[in-house]
Structures are given as C-alpha cells and as structure tokens.
Amino acid sequence: MLADTVDRRRRAAAELLAAAERTWPGDLIPDTAGALRRAVAPRAAGHLIWAEETSTGRRNLTYEETEAFWAFAAIEILRLTGIRNEELLELTHHSITEYRLPTTGEVVPLLQVAPSKTDSERLLLVSPELADILSTIIRRLRGRSGAIPLVTSYDTSTNGSGTRRCRCCSSAISAPNTALSPRPRSASF
C-alpha cells in the first residue's frame, strides 16, 4: 500500500510538472480545473517551475516532483533490498556491480552494500524491478552533463559536512550538492 501510494504521488507530481513546463508563464495549467496558473518566476530561479494556486498561494512544482521521486526511490530500494536507512544513504553508483557465473557465463547484477551494523560488506542480487529503479536514479543524477555530481554528505558523528562522493541518493533542490541524510532538512520555498 505504501509503495503504491508513493508511486501514485510520484507519477502525479511528474505529470503536473510536465504540464506546467508546457504552459506559458501566466497561463492556467491544463488538467488542474483552473486551480493552478504557471507563475512568472524571477530569472534567478529559472530552473524551478512555480505555480500560483488560486486558493493558497505559490507552489514550487519542481521541488514537489523531486521530493515525490526521492520518496518513491528510497521506499522502493528499502522494500526490494531490505537494507537499513544508513546503508541506503551510503549507496553510490559504484555500489552496482556485476558477477559472471562461471558455469554459464551469464552476467548477474549485484548491489554492494557498505558495512554498517554487522561491519561486513554484503552483496545482494539485483532483481529486474530494482535494476529499473537504480537505472532511473542514475539517469536522473547524470542529467545533461552525463556525469554524476559529487555531493557532500552530513556526518552525524561530527554534526558537520562529510566527504564529497557520487552518492545515489542526493537532491539538487532543497540543498544543492548535498546527499540525502538523516539530518533534518527544511524546505526552502
């Protein structure tokens, strides 16, 4: 039920953002029953898509879509792998590896999970469903440049910034160039 809910939320947020991107600033966004108008945003925030809600005010649709995507991705990875939250936050694109079966030569995708509670590394078999989610994350992170950006993580032991690495769970909206972390984040609207 949770997985279905976050998937519906992710799809709805992506569809709304796509509709807003196709709408001229100042015009009503289609399929919102006239409740949302594409806002005329300042040049400084040109990469963000804002909408004006007739009843409550402005909404950052880019932020909403990003948060919905990362909620979906995190829940799906946790559901499909059974890894812990802190292990999820440590995943990088290098965590995805492969193994060639010696008997058949078949290549099997694996997810390398960094040591946490047990202080031992684990290798998990990647299902087709998990492979689809991981590839979607990698594609999203690569963006236009084709490279996965280095992001700063939050180090809970020092209450400060950690090392810069290519982490799979990162968000460019709420805190640019920082990884998703156990540290509470506040939304900046």
Side-chain angles (χ1 to χ4, degrees):
M1 184 162 174
L2 176 62
D4 292 338
T5 301
V6 294
D7 188 37
R8 275 194 308 275
R9 182 175 168 242
R10 173 187 65 94
R11 291 177 192 275
E15 289 169 6
L16 180 58
L17 179 61
E21 287 173 337
R22 293 188 302 269
T23 304
W24 287 99
D27 289 348
L28 291 175
I29 299 172
D31 301 324
T32 63
L36 288 176
R37 180 180 305 278
R38 167 95 186 254
V40 179
R43 279 289 210 206
H47 68 285
L48 301 176
I49 304 292
W50 290 84
E52 294 171 352
E53 199 164 23
T54 54
S55 60
T56 60
R58 293 180 67 140
R59 289 174 49 187
N60 183 340
L61 300 181
T62 308
Y63 176 83
E64 289 178 16
E65 188 277 334
T66 298
E67 290 296 306
F69 173 81
W70 286 114
F72 165 79
I75 288 169
E76 284 297 293
I77 291 172
L78 292 171
R79 180 179 74 85
L80 294 169
T81 63
I83 64 175
R84 297 170 187 84
N85 290 343
E86 62 271 10
E87 293 170 331
L88 170 72
L89 298 175
E90 292 296 321
L91 291 179
T92 72
H93 68 293
H94 295 297
S95 300
I96 305 164
T97 186
E98 61 185 40
Y99 175 72
R100 186 174 301 277
L101 296 173
T103 55
T104 63
E106 182 182 0
V107 175
V108 178
L110 300 171
L111 184 64
Q112 184 176 4
V113 180
S116 67
K117 182 179 171 183
T118 61
D119 286 333
S120 63
E121 173 183 278
R122 296 181 291 153
L123 289 172
L124 305 175
L125 186 60
V126 175
S127 68
E129 191 177 6
L130 179 59
D132 183 49
I133 291 165
L134 293 172
S135 67
T136 301
I137 291 171
I138 299 298
R139 210 172 28 257
R140 183 181 184 104
L141 291 174
R142 285 188 195 271
R144 293 185 186 125
S145 71
I148 296 177
L150 294 174
V151 295
T152 304
S153 63
Y154 180 76
D155 187 349
T156 55
S157 63
T158 63
N159 291 329
S161 295
T163 57
R164 290 178 57 82
R165 297 189 347 196
C166 298
R167 296 188 188 266
C168 282
C169 295
S170 62
S171 171
I173 297 294
S174 57
N177 298 319
T178 57
L180 298 179
S181 70
R183 177 180 170 202
R185 297 181 305 153
S186 61
S188 53
F189 292 102

